[in-house]
Amino acid sequence: MTYEPKPRMTNPAYLLPEAGAAIQGLVKATRQGGVAESVLELVHLRASQINNCGFCVEYGVKSARKHGVADDKLFAVSAWRESPHFTEEERAALALAEAATRLADTSDAVPDEIWDAAADHFDEKQLAAITLMVALTNLFNRLNVTVRQPAGTAL
């Protein structure tokens, strides 16, 4: 049997144009927080991996490359704790992304230890941008996984 990727329906953000415009406005806002594009891309990619969103993982890798993320980092995102390729700042952002994506895994989803480590590297505006990026990525993942948006397809 050959797998022929086909989404269940048109992505909701396109069927409801006001929603799509609002989402794009939020994406632009994340870029105004003073966080390096490469860090935001790593955050997006890691949350997408956790949520098993093939479309977002593929898109995230391509976007990360456009923003200067080297392949050695891209290959190691899912194992960032064990990899020597990440800065302490990137590690703090990735830990925050993981915790904020896995909210149901523990009663203290984003413990002070993770938040404080991120706050050691980012100011409040930057933390806002990272938190918003994680939330948006989780939104993207839920939309794309639900409608079964295949990886490698254009929206």
Side-chain angles (χ1 to χ4, degrees):
M1 180 198 299
T2 303
Y3 175 68
E4 294 186 33
K6 183 179 176 190
R8 290 177 166 153
M9 64 178 277
T10 302
N11 191 289
Y14 287 98
L15 287 173
L16 303 170
E18 287 183 20
I23 291 168
Q24 288 307 312
L26 291 170
V27 170
K28 288 179 185 176
T30 65
R31 307 304 196 209
Q32 298 169 2
V35 178
E37 294 276 347
S38 59
V39 171
L40 293 175
E41 294 296 340
L42 290 170
V43 162
H44 170 79
L45 181 56
R46 184 63 190 127
S48 296
Q49 289 173 336
I50 292 167
N51 289 323
N52 296 314
C53 182
F55 179 87
C56 293
V57 168
E58 184 170 324
Y59 177 87
V61 167
K62 290 176 182 176
S63 185
R65 280 184 174 142
K66 286 181 188 175
H67 288 97
V69 178
D71 281 346
D72 56 357
K73 284 186 184 183
L74 293 175
F75 298 147
V77 170
S78 66
W80 61 268
R81 285 178 181 82
E82 295 81 25
S83 172
H85 300 296
F86 298 91
T87 67
E88 289 305 311
E89 179 180 82
E90 291 166 336
R91 290 175 189 284
L94 287 165
L96 181 57
E98 284 190 3
T101 296
R102 293 184 163 138
L103 295 177
D105 288 358
T106 181
S107 63
D108 187 13
V110 183
D112 288 341
E113 174 184 307
I114 289 174
W115 181 263
D116 293 345
D120 286 345
H121 296 281
F122 302 101
D123 63 27
E124 280 196 347
K125 190 172 181 180
Q126 292 170 318
L127 287 168
I130 292 168
T131 302
L132 186 56
M133 175 55 79
V134 173
L136 282 169
T137 298
N138 278 273
L139 170 65
F140 295 142
N141 297 160
R142 279 148 180 79
L143 291 173
N144 290 315
V145 169
T146 300
V147 302
R148 291 188 180 159
Q149 185 68 44
T153 60
L155 285 178

